[in-house]
Amino acid sequence: MQKPNLNNLRLKVSAGTPAQFPRDAVPQIVFSGRSNVGKSSLINTLLGRRAFARVSSAPGKTVTVNFFDIDGKLTFVDLPGYGYAKRSKEELLAFSRVTDGFFTKNPAIGQLKLVLQLIDARTGPTDDDLAMIQYLVDAALPFVIVATKADKLSKTALAASLKEMKETYFSEIDNTILPFSSETREGKDVLWGEILRALS
């Protein structure tokens, strides 16, 4: 598949319940990660936009699954960020319901082509990250691990962080960990390559 026209973008729907999930047969690329890991910034960088996907000033505020139409050829799916400590009990329940529903009640789950699982390169995976990745493994869903905020580390420290993540947490998972920075755009072309490969 060729790269889509990035001038033709729109928000398809912000879904607060599984009943609102789109049913169309368009390939889905899913973005998953904890609050404040840089999902919106990554989506904006991939699309060459500054504020197409909203960057929230309050981490964990959004409890919707956002579906973005990319040139009518694919859908970027932005899952709500998890692991935000200040959520109320009601918000946690809403988050769990809508996120779990995406994987268990998504009428277009057969269109899911790739999950980009984001992890902060500086801190490594949290327990929530590891639980999410284990779910993806158990469900046999295709995914790549993206180490965000790579520009916050020196090249030496970044290499050490990626090596530690691979050896300590993901030695049994045959997935490359891809460094990414929304500031320097490091990894942008590599990620587009992974997306287009998953769509072909």
Side-chain angles (χ1 to χ4, degrees):
M1 177 179 176
Q2 288 187 325
K3 194 171 179 179
N5 177 8
L6 300 185
N7 291 316
N8 186 17
L9 308 173
R10 68 181 177 91
L11 174 64
K12 187 181 293 187
V13 64
S14 284
T17 67
Q20 296 173 315
F21 294 162
R23 298 175 175 273
D24 49 14
V26 178
Q28 296 183 350
I29 304 296
V30 180
F31 298 79
S32 169
R34 67 174 178 79
S35 298
N36 209 26
V37 75
K39 279 193 293 94
S40 295
S41 296
L42 186 149
I43 292 171
N44 287 331
T45 300
L46 287 176
L47 298 177
R49 299 292 183 94
R50 284 177 176 256
F52 180 67
R54 294 189 303 275
V55 180
S56 176
S57 59
K61 187 176 180 181
T62 304
V63 192
T64 57
V65 179
N66 295 320
F67 295 81
F68 299 106
D69 181 273
I70 314 300
D71 195 27
K73 296 177 180 176
L74 71 149
T75 302
F76 277 7
V77 183
D78 184 12
L79 296 180
Y82 53 73
Y84 186 56
K86 294 184 180 180
R87 286 190 196 277
S88 67
K89 187 174 181 181
E90 290 76 17
E91 287 173 325
L92 286 169
L93 286 171
F95 165 82
S96 178
R97 190 161 51 241
V98 72
T99 303
D100 292 349
F102 174 77
F103 291 106
T104 60
K105 298 178 182 178
N106 180 359
I109 193 67
Q111 296 296 327
L112 193 162
K113 302 302 181 183
L114 186 68
V115 177
L116 273 59
Q117 176 61 42
L118 279 58
I119 293 174
D120 191 321
R122 301 167 300 176
T123 60
T126 64
D127 288 345
D128 289 323
D129 292 327
L130 295 174
M132 187 67 213
I133 289 171
Q134 190 59 54
Y135 176 84
L136 296 174
V137 171
D138 292 344
L141 295 171
F143 70 96
V144 295
I145 298 169
V146 183
T148 61
K149 307 189 180 184
D151 60 288
K152 306 298 184 186
L153 296 172
S154 68
K155 286 189 176 182
T156 302
L158 177 61
S161 174
L162 298 179
K163 184 172 185 285
E164 181 182 4
M165 272 195 252
K166 182 66 176 176
E167 293 180 352
T168 305
Y169 300 103
F170 308 125
S171 60
E172 297 181 3
I173 301 175
D174 186 25
N175 287 67
T176 305
I177 303 173
L178 306 173
F180 179 84
S181 166
S182 59
E183 295 293 326
T184 66
R185 294 176 174 75
E186 176 186 1
K188 176 181 176 180
D189 291 341
V190 173
L191 281 184
W192 264 117
E194 292 288 337
I195 291 169
L196 295 176
R197 191 175 301 115
L199 295 173
S200 62

